[in-house]
């Protein structure tokens, strides 16, 4: 298929069945590359560099009591990053349902995906200018980039039911995560070389960090070209109304429609709870390692690199386990491991990199698989023709409503001054999420959504 044809809209179709295997595989390969493009932001920016660096910038701007005061509100410098993550997700909550509904009404996911991706990539590249005491600039750019990636993932995930057959979605979703973790590992190796050798490159430590942050934005923008060339829009019947107004009306209609699928809502509630814990662990791990455990930046980079490498194997391995035991059981097992990880993290001694590496290895083995299988399981619960609007609800659970975990983490530190208390507070998300997921009859939920029930789910 030529590049020109790839940019045109295809006839409306709700599943991949109307597409030939070769064409479907071509779209799938293009789809994988958006994970390859944007996962570098999640890894290098959110997980590794920005948390400790923004915290240090905020501390440089803090008063004698250790507080910064944006808009006159006293905030511990050590809580700023967690609060900013929460604020970015509130912005995403406002935007994602509108964008998802607009994509379903117009059938034009790709232009919206391009806009969200390049806004996020630009904001990330602009983090090069974050230095001195510019903590407000850093907070603003993080809000823009984090909201943009959340919006883009609504559109990206909505392609999954359209480019894969029901029985192959676990594998396709897992490969997408594997591509993302592969790119994260590759860029972290380059980051590690630059950061540890910054003197030999004639750079200060701050310069090296800012280059690593900005390069994630450049990478994100460059590789987004691949999915934009290969993914195709599906035509839908035209509808009237302005984009924003119809988006809000469609959002309300979506919420009313989702009441007709209570089992889908039950899964979303479970996912909202346990994924809130996952996202908070990912975003706050480096802050915990640097501020509470006293680990240097090189240790944090290599630990996250270990996570990336093992997450590729973990995503693919858990995809195979799901074919044998079903996605639901495999996810439940991973949540038990997540709970044990937090208990172990609370007990980690300071200045002991080897234990932190062991914890990173455990995270890597369950991180990709739990996320990939959750996405593919949900794709079976989405009514046909409503992929983008329903995946906007999923993305709200994935990123958009994952504000509570960072808020709890930030408040725990604000009140106690202890990151150990903050990290152990996240256990409740995994325990409660496991209980809620265990209660969802997934086979019945798939049938209720009007989709074919896979042999193993």
């Amino acid at each position: 298929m030529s590049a020109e044809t790839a940019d045109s809209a295809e006839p409306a179709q709700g599943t991949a069945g109307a597409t030939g295997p070769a064409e479907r595989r071509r779209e799938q390969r293009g789809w994988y590359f958006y994970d390859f493009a944007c996962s570098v932001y999640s890894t290098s920016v959110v997980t590794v560099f920005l948390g400790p660096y923004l915290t240090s910038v905020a501390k440089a701007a803090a008063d004698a009591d250790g507080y910064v005061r944006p808009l006159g509100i006293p905030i511990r410098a050590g809580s700023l990053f967690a609060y900013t993550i929460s604020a970015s997700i509130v912005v995403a909550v406002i935007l994602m349902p509108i964008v998802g509904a607009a994509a379903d009404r117009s059938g034009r996911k790709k232009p919206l995906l391009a806009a969200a991706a390049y806004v996020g990539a630009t904001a990330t590249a602009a983090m090069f200018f974050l230095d001195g005491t510019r903590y407000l600039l850093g907070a603003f750019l993080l809000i823009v980039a984090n909201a943009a990636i959340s919006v883009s993932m609504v559109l990206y995930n909505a392609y999954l039911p359209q480019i894969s057959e029901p029985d192959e979605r676990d594998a396709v979703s897992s490969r997408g995560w594997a591509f993302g973790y592969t790119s994260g590992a590759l860029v972290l190796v380059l980051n590690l070389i630059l950061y540890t050798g910054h003197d030999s490159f004639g750079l200060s430590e701050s310069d090296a960090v800012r280059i690593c942050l900005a390069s994630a934005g450049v990478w994100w923008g460059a590789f987004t070209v691949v999915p934009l060339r290969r993914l195709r829009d599906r035509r839908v019947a035209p509808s009237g109304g302005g984009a924003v107004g119809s988006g809000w009306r469609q959002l309300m209609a979506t919420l009313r429609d989702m009441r007709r699928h209570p089992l889908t809502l039950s899964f979303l509630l479970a996912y909202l709870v346990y994924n809130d814990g996952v996202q908070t662990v990912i975003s706050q791990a480096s802050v915990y390692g640097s501020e509470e455990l006293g680990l240097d930046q090189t240790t944090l980079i290599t630990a996250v690199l270990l996570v990336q490498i093992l997450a590729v194997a973990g995503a693919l391995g858990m995809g195979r386990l799901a074919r044998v035991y079903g996605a639901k059981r495999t996810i439940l097992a991973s949540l038990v491991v997540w709970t044990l990880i937090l208990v172990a993290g609370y007990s980690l001694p300071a200045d002991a990199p080897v234990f932190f590496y062991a914890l990173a290895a455990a995270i890597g083995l369950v991180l990709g698989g739990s996320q990939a299988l959750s996405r593919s399981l949900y794709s079976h619960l989405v009514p046909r023709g409503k992929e983008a609007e329903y995946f906007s609800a999923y993305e709200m659970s994935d990123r958009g409503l994952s504000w509570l975990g960072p808020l709890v983490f930030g408040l725990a530190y604000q009140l106690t001054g202890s990151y150990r208390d903050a990290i152990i507070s996240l256990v409740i998300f995994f325990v409660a999420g496991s209980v809620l997921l265990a209660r969802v009859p997934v086979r019945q939920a798939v049938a209720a959504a009007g989709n074919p029930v896979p042999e193993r789910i």
Side-chain angles (χ1 to χ4, degrees), residues 35 52 84 151 197 235 373 400 402 419 447:
D35 252 324
T84 305
V151 170
R235 287 198 188 97
L373 293 179
S402 293
Y419 282 107

Side-chain angles (χ1 to χ4, degrees), residues 203-282:
L203 299 171
S204 67
E205 181 178 344
S206 174
D207 291 338
V209 170
R210 292 187 294 113
I211 290 172
C212 290
L213 292 171
S215 66
V218 174
W219 181 284
W220 183 0
F223 283 99
T224 294
V225 172
V226 179
L228 293 181
R229 290 177 65 88
R230 292 200 172 190
L231 291 172
R232 296 168 298 146
D233 283 329
R234 274 74 172 169
R235 287 198 188 97
V236 297
S239 58
V244 175
S246 64
W248 278 109
R249 287 192 295 273
Q250 184 61 58
L251 169 60
M252 300 309 297
T254 299
L255 294 176
R256 289 192 296 270
D257 185 72
M258 291 187 77
R259 294 169 59 186
R260 298 171 48 239
H261 301 280
L263 297 180
T264 301
L265 279 174
S266 295
F267 173 82
L268 271 180
L269 176 60
Y271 180 69
L272 181 156
V273 174
Y274 71 74
N275 185 67
D276 206 344
V278 172
Q279 295 297 327
T280 307
V281 172
I282 293 170

